Amino acid sequence: MQQKKGGFRLADRVADIEPFRVVEVLTRARELAAAGGDIVNLAVGAPDFITAAPIVEAGRKALADGHTDYSQALGLPELREALSQHYRVEYGLDIPARRIVITPGASGALLLLSALLLNPGDGMLLADPGYPCNRHFMRLVEGRGQLVPVAADTRYQLNAAQVAAHWQANTVGAMVASPANPTGTALSFAELSALSAAVRGQGGHLIVDEIYHGLTYDGPSRSVLEVDPQAFVVNSFSKYFGMTGWRLGWLVAPEEAIAGLEKLAQNLFISMSTMAQHAALACFEPATRAILEERRAIFGQRRDFLLPALENLGFEVPCKPDGAFYIYANASRFTDNAEALCWQLLEDHGVALTPGIDFGHAGAHTHLRFSYATGMERLEVAVERLAKVLR
């Protein structure tokens, strides 16, 4: 137990959970902007578009109609059915609504899975670099993320051979993301199949973060559920559907896990935002999907501008991102302290980026994450400012 000055005590886990550095960067960027600075924000991991009008109107109607009470712990039946139909249309999969759990953001799904699968001392294999909160959720329930260094040779993804090499006596599963944060790389059908076989061969659970599905630019994403019906899938209404502040996600789980998830959800959340769930029903309407597809095309155009621009500046990007809205760039030509460079670019030149140290340890001090979730004109300004500094 940590003891603070004056006898104030904190649990040990607080020290073990690292700060989310991108939030610190964003906070400082807002301070500089409020003081009159012109800040180009390439750090934020959220769409810059406001929530599509049909979704907003559905939310307003839900409020006007008095949908302000608790929903069921697993979510509105209508929304679970809509997601079941979504899997049928998008992937050709028959995922019964009873296997779909609505959660307060993808973060709620990650917390549920950590509590469901990890006993104290258990571990879960995670790619390094990867989304940092995953291992912190596991620490919260006294488990731990077992970080596996990955690099360009596997497109920064955990693969079957690494699962076999890094599996430990206390490992209970592996978690991957496709497309991934911070790299934007996705797993192919063959890679998902091999991963599933490797994890199942160890008697473990496979979790796949699919929250950037829909935001791919060179072809559709493949869901792990196409090859492994027993996998756990985490998804969100925040990215493709653009509902970041509504805090709504979902989880697809094996039927054997649903009772446990419901019990945990009852205790941890009671229910999700009822009005947000009613709003989300509009996500699947043709008019909404047309808006979202237009936005997806714009994200693709931004990637295709920023990627060669960064390479021309001298950054190395060995793996072209398949999706999401990130480019994970090697800045070793310029620095061996990417975090210091990140803060210098923000404070002195008005460009906000995320340091690699936010995502793990492997190569962290020489990498930066660029987000292209901002308009093309601002991306052009950022490239101009970087050129002046780095050249």
Side-chain angles (χ1 to χ4, degrees):
M1 186 77 73
Q2 300 178 69
Q3 180 140 4
K4 296 282 187 178
K5 186 176 181 180
F8 188 75
R9 288 175 173 266
L10 298 176
D12 291 341
R13 68 177 63 88
V14 178
D16 294 340
I17 294 175
E18 299 175 40
F20 203 0
R21 290 174 181 84
V22 68
V23 176
E24 296 179 341
V25 171
L26 293 173
T27 298
R28 181 57 181 155
R30 292 188 185 104
E31 291 173 352
L32 292 169
D38 179 26
I39 307 301
V40 183
N41 194 336
L42 305 189
V44 68
D48 57 321
F49 300 106
I50 63 171
T51 302
I55 302 171
V56 174
E57 288 305 314
R60 287 187 177 133
K61 186 175 186 304
L63 290 170
D65 291 346
H67 294 302
T68 57
D69 52 352
Y70 293 126
S71 75
Q72 296 90 331
L74 295 180
L76 286 179
E78 308 97 294
L79 186 54
R80 297 168 76 194
E81 287 288 351
L83 284 165
S84 176
Q85 178 65 13
H86 173 71
Y87 279 97
R88 192 170 294 111
V89 171
E90 294 296 320
Y91 306 100
L93 295 171
D94 182 16
I95 307 295
R98 63 181 178 272
R99 289 183 51 200
I100 300 172
V101 178
I102 310 301
T103 60
S107 296
L110 293 166
L111 178 58
L112 285 176
L113 285 178
S114 297
L116 181 80
L117 300 178
L118 291 164
N119 284 316
D122 285 347
M124 181 78 64
L125 298 181
L126 302 170
D128 175 6
Y131 182 60
C133 298
N134 293 336
R135 66 182 186 272
H136 297 150
F137 278 121
M138 295 168 190
R139 175 63 184 91
L140 192 67
V141 298
E142 305 301 327
R144 68 186 187 94
Q146 297 169 328
L147 299 183
V148 178
V150 294
D153 60 339
T154 65
R155 305 191 75 247
Y156 299 101
Q157 291 282 359
L158 193 63
N159 63 21
Q162 291 165 327
V163 166
H166 290 272
W167 199 274
Q168 302 174 37
N170 65 333
T171 305
V172 299
M175 181 177 181
V176 296
S178 178
N181 178 8
T183 63
T185 62
L187 290 159
S188 68
F189 186 88
E191 289 167 331
L192 287 168
S193 297
L195 263 175
S196 172
V199 173
R200 297 298 169 206
Q202 298 284 357
H205 301 286
L206 178 60
I207 304 171
V208 182
D209 170 347
E210 296 184 354
I211 74 170
Y212 292 100
H213 271 217
L215 290 176
T216 53
Y217 312 113
D218 301 312
S221 302
R222 305 303 298 262
S223 175
V224 69
L225 296 170
E226 298 177 63
V227 301
D228 186 352
Q230 292 297 105
F232 291 90
V233 167
V234 175
N235 213 318
S236 173
F237 287 96
S238 290
K239 307 303 182 183
Y240 174 74
F241 295 106
M243 294 181 67
T244 48
W246 302 75
R247 304 313 303 132
L248 203 63
W250 76 88
L251 170 63
V252 181
E255 293 205 30
E256 299 87 343
I258 297 299
L261 288 168
E262 182 172 18
K263 182 167 57 175
L264 289 168
Q266 289 168 345
N267 283 274
L268 291 173
F269 313 128
I270 301 178
S271 74
M272 284 54 65
S273 165
T274 303
M275 59 288 290
Q277 292 182 76
H278 280 278
L281 289 168
C283 289
F284 308 102
E285 295 175 359
T288 308
R289 293 301 298 270
I291 294 169
L292 300 179
E293 282 300 297
E294 288 177 4
R295 294 175 176 184
R296 183 184 67 82
I298 291 170
F299 281 128
Q301 292 165 6
R302 294 173 182 177
R303 179 200 65 171
D304 293 342
F305 163 77
L306 186 58
L307 179 59
L310 293 178
E311 291 175 327
N312 288 337
L313 289 173
F315 291 97
E316 295 179 20
V317 187
C319 299
K320 181 181 180 181
D322 303 296
F325 26 67
Y326 308 120
I327 296 172
Y328 196 59
N330 186 331
S332 59
R333 176 178 175 182
F334 310 111
T335 185
D336 58 2
N337 188 340
E339 186 172 13
L341 176 61
C342 175
W343 286 109
Q344 178 194 355
L345 290 171
L346 175 59
E347 296 285 349
D348 299 340
H349 306 285
V351 179
L353 305 173
T354 308
I357 193 67
D358 218 11
F359 306 103
H361 308 292
H365 296 296
T366 57
H367 282 76
L368 295 169
R369 188 192 73 177
F370 293 78
S371 169
Y372 46 91
T374 192
M376 187 70 79
E377 290 183 2
R378 300 302 283 166
L379 292 176
E380 291 172 349
V381 170
V383 170
E384 291 172 4
R385 292 181 184 179
L386 290 170
K388 291 177 181 178
V389 178
L390 300 176
R391 284 178 177 167

